[in-house]
């Protein structure tokens, strides 16, 4: 009885530490992304490397745990490199893409790979950001950029999806995974 | 990559292509109907300035001032571009020159939207 309780607690600590590591990795990825001088000449277009962490967490953790991780990541990123305006954009995009990806993983039930899910995430992230932007500047015409962002979303979604595929394969071969799934 | 991934990619590309085609068709109609083309500049959702583009022979610059900062718009060759802005990201400057109806330039930090508009005359008599 006592042993089982301790085991359970240990597993929770494992999870907590792993979530903390993932959040800090997302922060580093956001920072690296800012260092890459990639300009698509479209507001909102970016690589979205932090989505690697979000998508990985969706495959490893429960819904509530991943949601907690995403919220933590968005807040921490904005405290460190962003402003209040960038928080609103990241929040709208991050939440919409999170729920869309969760839904698609549930619906497609293994018939769609990480690449497809990550493309869904990328496109919905852009959609969320554009809607927030339309709300802030009170001008719906900004949705003109949506088709452009859908194209960049497909390309960056592929990059992120392939990264997640290899990351998950690696994690499953380590003992971290078995400890998390206990 | 699974089959459903490809289906998804094709779907997204199709939707984007429909958007592009629709925009292209609209600007094509306007360009071939010899109608007016003008630019509307919005600040925070409200119409700030209207610039006629068809008959403007001379190049000139106008300053759009808002509560958040200022953007300098240069009008030339029946189109326009943002050449200067005191915002942090300068995406509006890198957007470049626009002259086709439907095209827009956005400065998010200043809530400025520049849109080119045109009235397409429904001239179907010649075809039918």
């Amino acid at each position: 009885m006592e042993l089982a309780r301790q085991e359970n607690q240990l597993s929770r600590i494992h999870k907590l530490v792993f979530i903390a590591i993932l959040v800090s990795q997302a922060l580093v990825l956001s920072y690296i992304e800012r260092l890459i001088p990639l300009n698509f000449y479209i507001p909102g277009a970016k690589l979205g490397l932090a989505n690697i962490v979000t998508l990985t967490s969706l495959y490893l953790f429960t819904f509530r745990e991943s949601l907690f991780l995403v919220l933590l990541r968005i807040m921490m990123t904005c405290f460190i490199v962003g402003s209040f305006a960038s928080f609103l954009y990241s929040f709208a995009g991050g939440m919409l893409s999170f729920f869309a990806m969760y839904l698609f993983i549930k619906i497609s039930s293994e018939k769609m790979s990480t690449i497809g899910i990550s493309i869904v995430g990328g496109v919905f992230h852009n959609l969320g950001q554009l809607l927030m932007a339309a709300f802030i500047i009170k001008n719906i015409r900004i949705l003109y950029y949506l088709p452009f962002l859908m194209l960049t979303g497909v390309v960056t979604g592929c990059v992120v999806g392939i990264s997640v595929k290899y990351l998950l394969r690696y994690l499953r071969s380590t003992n971290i995974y078995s400890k998390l799934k206990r | 990559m699974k089959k459903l991934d490809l289906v998804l990619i094709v779907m997204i590309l199709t939707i984007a292509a429909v958007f592009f085609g629709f925009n292209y068709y609209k600007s094509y109609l306007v360009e071939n109907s010899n109608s007016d083309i003008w630019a509307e500049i919005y600040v925070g959702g409200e119409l700030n300035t209207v610039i006629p583009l068809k008959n403007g022979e001379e190049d000139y610059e106008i300053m759009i001032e808002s509560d958040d900062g200022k953007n300098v718009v240069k009008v030339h060759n029946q189109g326009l571009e943002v050449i200067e802005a005191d915002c942090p990201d300068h995406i509006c400057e890198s957007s470049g020159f626009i002259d086709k109806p439907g095209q827009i330039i956005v400065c998010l930090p200043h809530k400025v939207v520049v849109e080119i508009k045109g009235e397409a005359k429904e001239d179907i008599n010649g075809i039918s």
Side-chain angles (χ1 to χ4, degrees):
Chain A
M1 191 72 176
E2 181 67 12
L3 201 70
R5 204 180 63 85
Q6 274 182 359
E7 283 249 303
N8 195 16
Q9 207 164 18
L10 205 64
S11 155
R12 280 192 57 180
I13 293 171
H14 270 130
K15 247 180 200 170
L16 209 62
V17 170
F18 198 60
I19 288 177
I21 292 173
L22 281 177
V23 169
S24 53
Q25 280 176 338
L27 293 183
V28 172
L29 285 175
S30 302
Y31 184 69
I32 290 173
E33 194 174 306
R34 288 167 69 93
L35 292 182
I36 303 170
L38 204 61
N39 196 343
F40 291 104
Y41 304 115
I42 306 166
K46 59 177 182 176
L47 272 172
L49 290 179
N51 199 29
I52 294 175
V53 169
T54 311
L55 190 51
T56 308
S57 75
L58 271 172
Y59 281 101
L60 291 182
F61 302 120
T62 64
F63 175 76
R64 278 180 61 185
E65 285 160 350
S66 339
L67 183 63
F68 171 68
L69 192 150
V70 174
L71 284 172
L72 204 61
R73 169 179 80 72
I74 293 170
M75 278 196 288
M76 294 287 282
T77 311
C78 290
F79 281 145
I80 293 170
V81 289
S83 58
F84 181 65
S86 74
F87 171 75
L88 290 178
Y89 294 123
S90 314
F91 183 77
M95 282 297 104
L96 198 62
S97 88
F98 174 78
F99 288 121
M101 287 194 294
Y102 177 77
L103 210 69
F104 267 76
I105 290 176
K106 281 276 168 275
I107 293 175
S108 70
S109 57
E110 306 276 312
K111 284 201 189 69
M112 196 181 267
S113 77
T114 53
I115 297 172
I117 303 292
S118 127
I119 289 173
V120 168
V123 169
F124 275 90
H125 190 273
N126 289 329
L127 182 65
Q129 284 195 318
L130 277 185
L131 290 176
M132 180 53 88
F135 176 72
I136 288 178
I137 65 173
K138 299 187 185 70
N139 203 326
I140 199 74
R141 287 170 187 81
I142 196 167
L143 286 179
Y144 165 79
Y145 285 119
L146 188 60
F148 294 96
L149 287 171
M150 284 166 93
L151 293 186
T152 61
V154 167
V155 177
T156 61
C158 280
V159 175
V160 169
I162 291 167
S163 313
V164 171
K165 194 178 117 193
Y166 283 105
L167 185 59
L168 280 176
R169 187 184 291 172
Y170 174 75
L171 283 174
R172 274 173 187 149
S173 70
T174 63
N175 64 345
I176 300 169
Y177 186 73
S178 56
K179 274 176 181 159
L180 286 176
K181 281 291 163 188
R182 195 160 52 193
Chain B
M1 181 92 74
K2 290 177 184 167
K3 208 171 137 191
L4 214 57
D5 294 337
L6 281 174
V7 172
L8 180 85
I9 291 175
V10 170
M11 254 169 62
I12 292 175
L13 293 185
T14 312
I15 295 171
V18 168
F19 272 114
F20 280 127
F22 185 68
N23 276 346
Y24 182 79
Y25 178 68
K26 268 207 312 198
S27 72
Y28 173 83
L29 273 187
V30 171
E31 274 178 358
N32 286 288
S33 63
N34 208 15
S35 51
D36 262 359
I37 293 182
W38 69 95
E40 291 178 355
I41 300 178
Y42 293 85
V43 178
E46 279 166 27
L47 190 60
N48 181 290
T49 320
V50 177
I51 304 167
L53 293 177
K54 203 88 197 207
N55 310 315
E57 297 91 8
E58 275 191 28
D59 300 357
Y60 62 98
E61 292 169 12
I62 55 167
M63 176 106 82
I64 306 296
E65 277 189 89
S66 61
D67 300 339
D68 307 287
K70 53 181 185 253
N71 300 62
V72 180
V73 176
K74 188 177 183 190
V75 183
H76 62 99
N77 300 341
Q78 305 198 346
L80 45 78
E81 62 183 314
V82 178
I83 54 166
E84 219 183 301
D86 57 357
C87 57
D89 57 10
H90 296 281
I91 283 177
C92 51
E93 287 172 45
S94 57
S95 296
F97 179 77
I98 58 170
D99 62 348
K100 293 202 169 35
Q103 285 184 314
I104 65 169
I105 298 177
V106 174
C107 178
L108 278 181
H110 296 169
K111 298 172 185 150
V112 171
V113 176
V114 183
E115 189 193 18
I116 295 190
K117 291 203 139 189
E119 189 116 336
K121 285 180 194 134
E122 298 289 329
D123 197 18
I124 46 170
N125 295 342
I127 304 163
S128 62

